[in-house]
Amino acid sequence: MAPAVASSPARWQPPPPGLFKLNIDAAIDTTKHTIGVGAVVRNSSGRAIAAFSMPTVGLYSSHEMEAKAMFLSLNWALQLQLQVSIVETDALMVSNALNNKLMAVSSFNDLILDITSLLSFFPNIVVTHVKRSANAVADCLAKYALGRDESISWMENFPPSINSVIVNDYPL
């Protein structure tokens, strides 16, 4: 029997040349009933174009929290007129709901319908699921939001703690 080979964790991969990729994540602080939303847009060379951290009040199931993060992040990207072509999330249920279009009556499905509406503003956009390890920058931004009182958006100039995660996240 051959020995097991340890695989390295999945890493963020750049989009094809000329395209922008949006990574999204959510974090929660149950003691404060706060959700942190994080998003980053990067180009094919791995350079961060814009980033977003936003705290919001509420307690939701994990898939509702991730769907809310996607809605808020897409709305942010739309307001900045960022031409995103690929959206990555580590929320499999959200990705599946958006790609399979199976609907039932629930607050989660209402969020999915709202997200689908926002996605229509981005021509040929694709929503994909990635492993958590390939979504490190968005995760960092979501956790950063938990320590803030209001949302913050950056265009190219990022705080050192976030910039180091961006630089270290690019595949070798």
Side-chain angles (χ1 to χ4, degrees):
M1 183 145 104
V5 177
S7 61
S8 59
R11 303 278 314 244
W12 180 85
Q13 296 298 313
L19 300 182
F20 289 147
K21 182 186 281 188
L22 171 65
N23 285 78
I24 298 167
D25 204 8
I28 190 163
D29 183 337
T30 55
T31 61
K32 295 180 183 175
H33 301 283
T34 303
I35 296 168
V37 174
V40 61
V41 175
R42 290 192 276 185
N43 66 14
S44 60
S45 66
R47 190 171 137 251
I49 305 302
F52 171 69
S53 284
M54 177 185 190
T56 186
V57 177
L59 282 179
Y60 304 93
S61 63
S62 62
H63 61 282
E64 288 174 326
M65 176 177 71
E66 296 281 357
K68 187 168 180 75
M70 183 170 291
F71 176 81
L72 293 168
S73 298
L74 285 168
N75 195 39
W76 163 77
L78 188 60
Q79 288 176 7
L80 291 179
Q81 299 179 355
L82 297 170
Q83 293 303 308
V84 175
S85 299
I86 302 166
V87 178
E88 288 185 337
T89 176
D90 57 22
L92 182 60
M93 192 169 179
V94 174
S95 176
N96 284 345
L98 289 166
N99 288 308
N100 297 327
K101 309 287 191 261
L102 301 174
M103 293 292 155
V105 177
S106 73
S107 58
F108 175 69
N109 288 321
D110 288 345
L111 278 168
I112 295 300
L113 288 171
D114 290 343
I115 293 166
T116 301
S117 176
L118 281 176
L119 288 171
S120 70
F121 289 97
F122 299 90
N124 304 314
I125 195 164
V126 176
V127 176
T128 62
H129 174 259
V130 293
K131 293 187 181 285
R132 183 169 289 142
S133 59
N135 209 27
V137 177
D139 179 63
C140 175
L141 290 161
K143 289 175 180 169
Y144 182 83
L146 293 174
R148 302 205 44 90
D149 292 329
E150 57 189 32
S151 65
I152 185 166
S153 183
W154 300 272
M155 298 291 285
E156 301 186 10
N157 295 316
F158 306 98
S161 61
I162 293 169
N163 194 53
S164 67
V165 175
I166 293 168
V167 169
N168 291 324
D169 189 46
Y170 191 76
L172 302 174

